[in-house]
Amino acid sequence: MVDGVVIPAGERSGVVGSGGRRGRAGTSQVGALGVHLADPQVEASVLGLLDDVEVELRASVSSADPLVTEAARHLVEAGGKRFRPLLVALGAQFGDPAGPQVVPAAVVMELTHLATLYHDDVMDEAAVRRGAPSANSRWTNSVAILVGDYLFARAADIAADLGPVAVRLQARTFARLVHGQIAETVGPRTEDPVDHYLRVIADKTGSLIATSARFGGMFGGATELHTEALAGYGETIGVAFQLSDDLLDIASESTQSGKTPGTDLREGVPTLPVLYALAGDDSDAASVRLREILATGPLVDDALHAEALGLLRESAALKRARETVRSYAEDARAQLAPLPRIPARRALESLCDYIADRTS
């Protein structure tokens, strides 16, 4: 998944919902995602909506049971890039971004995303999420699973107020998320490992980002043609962003990816560059040695881990993975063709540029 840190709305300097004075924190939040909001009106609209989403998120996870409230707010208050609400906000610019259903639609998307994180941490046996103890390590696996279920229920409840179409779309998106998680858990059977991996990312990551962009268009009142274009863009850019994180885990010399470089290698997570390396047939000594190391599974040995990381950084597999990411980024840009050339479209295009550049 694509996570990070955002300052809660109440702690931002001068930010008071969509009608308040705008501080710098929200701008940094959007900038961290690579989206360039060059137009002041679009910037004020988008940042105002994101502030409103923060307020509504906290209200929506409140419960009569203090434990449920505390556990449900755990990840909300830990922050996040709010990538999905951002796509809702930008999609709504192609209609009326001040429409009364736009903020609730963004909240539905973020709650659905947060629910998957509670479940992911249980399956991954994660101890930390967004710099804080994970819910499962703090309250047990059972509580974390049930809180994830609670967030799904809250998302469905809010979606019901948006109408049956929203409920159906949220349910179908959830079904794709589950299919993606099952496919990842089981692994490729008769499918090519690279094709399997790309399908998992499309289901687990792309689907929710696609629905976020679609919701923005729908509830902002954009035309059907523009809404479909937004949904296609959302799915493709979601896959591109996740793949670029895979590359940063290998190529970055710092914590640019949000985690220690080589974490996926150490944990035995077969990301795209690794899959390309394993599928390669290059006969040079470096490629052969790389395949030998990667075939052993999780690289917990520090020496082998360092060797594999060094070989991957110089490999044809990493170059090929970069080309794949650029291809997805350009495909996402092409999906925007039916949209009018307004500042919101340029903002969406800037994300394509950012993804291509961050993996160069």
Side-chain angles (χ1 to χ4, degrees):
M1 309 288 180
V2 265
D3 290 312
V5 177
V6 56
I7 299 174
E11 297 174 12
R12 295 182 191 163
S13 174
V15 178
V16 192
S18 59
R21 181 167 56 85
R22 179 169 43 82
R24 294 182 178 179
T27 305
S28 299
Q29 170 193 357
V30 174
L33 285 166
V35 176
H36 182 51
L37 300 175
D39 183 87
Q41 287 186 319
V42 171
E43 182 180 30
S45 172
V46 169
L47 298 182
L49 185 144
L50 292 177
D51 288 326
D52 290 343
V53 167
E54 290 297 312
V55 174
E56 292 302 319
L57 275 175
R58 283 160 177 75
S60 66
V61 299
S62 294
S63 165
D65 187 320
L67 173 61
V68 174
T69 299
E70 182 185 11
R73 285 188 173 182
H74 182 64
L75 283 186
V76 172
E77 293 176 351
K81 289 179 181 174
R82 306 299 190 237
F83 190 30
R84 292 144 195 86
L86 174 62
L87 264 291
V88 175
L90 288 171
Q93 299 296 318
F94 295 90
D96 177 12
Q101 293 182 313
V102 176
V103 169
V107 171
V108 168
M109 292 293 93
E110 188 66 10
L111 284 175
T112 303
H113 171 57
L114 291 172
T116 67
L117 299 186
Y118 280 85
H119 290 175
D120 282 351
D121 285 346
V122 172
M123 288 183 286
D124 297 341
E125 299 180 346
V128 176
R129 167 71 69 175
R130 295 176 173 174
S134 62
N136 50 297
S137 66
R138 183 171 174 180
W139 285 287
T140 75
N141 284 344
S142 295
V143 170
I145 291 171
L146 292 169
V147 170
D149 292 344
Y150 172 68
L151 294 182
F152 277 126
R154 291 296 299 125
D157 190 16
I158 298 169
D161 292 333
L162 299 175
V165 174
V167 173
R168 186 175 297 112
L169 284 170
Q170 196 261 356
R172 290 177 177 176
T173 303
F174 183 27
R176 282 193 66 189
L177 289 167
V178 173
H179 273 93
Q181 185 60 64
I182 291 172
E184 182 179 61
T185 302
V186 173
R189 288 168 283 182
T190 59
E191 193 175 13
D192 174 80
V194 172
D195 291 341
H196 172 268
Y197 183 67
L198 292 173
R199 180 169 63 85
V200 165
I201 291 179
D203 284 345
K204 283 191 61 178
T205 301
S207 64
L208 191 56
I209 295 173
T211 303
S212 299
R214 182 187 295 278
F215 269 18
M218 279 178 56
F219 295 110
T223 67
E224 184 176 352
L225 175 65
H226 293 165
T227 299
E228 289 298 324
L230 287 164
Y233 168 86
E235 173 133 357
T236 311
I237 205 68
V239 173
F241 211 107
Q242 185 61 55
L243 291 177
S244 69
D245 271 2
D246 290 355
L247 270 64
L248 286 178
D249 182 60
I250 292 167
S252 64
E253 294 288 350
S254 63
T255 55
Q256 182 183 4
S257 62
K259 55 186 177 181
T260 304
T263 297
D264 291 332
L265 279 177
R266 193 174 294 279
E267 295 177 354
V269 177
T271 57
L272 189 64
V274 170
L275 291 172
Y276 278 156
L278 287 170
D281 57 3
D282 295 331
S283 58
D284 60 284
S287 297
V288 172
R289 175 58 178 162
L290 179 58
R291 287 196 295 272
E292 289 176 353
I293 299 173
L294 295 177
T296 64
L299 298 177
V300 295
D301 179 84
D302 288 342
L304 281 178
H305 178 270
E307 184 180 2
L309 193 58
L311 289 169
L312 263 174
R313 286 173 173 170
E314 301 299 324
S315 69
L318 184 61
K319 180 180 179 181
R320 184 181 176 189
R322 284 194 173 109
E323 292 170 351
T324 300
V325 172
R326 291 192 192 99
S327 176
Y328 272 96
E330 289 309 309
D331 187 16
R333 189 194 308 276
Q335 300 273 1
L336 298 172
L339 298 174
R341 293 187 177 278
I342 61 175
R345 173 172 166 175
R346 291 194 290 273
L348 293 171
E349 289 172 338
S350 71
L351 182 55
C352 301
D353 296 331
Y354 172 72
I355 289 175
D357 291 343
R358 82 195 287 243
T359 55
S360 299

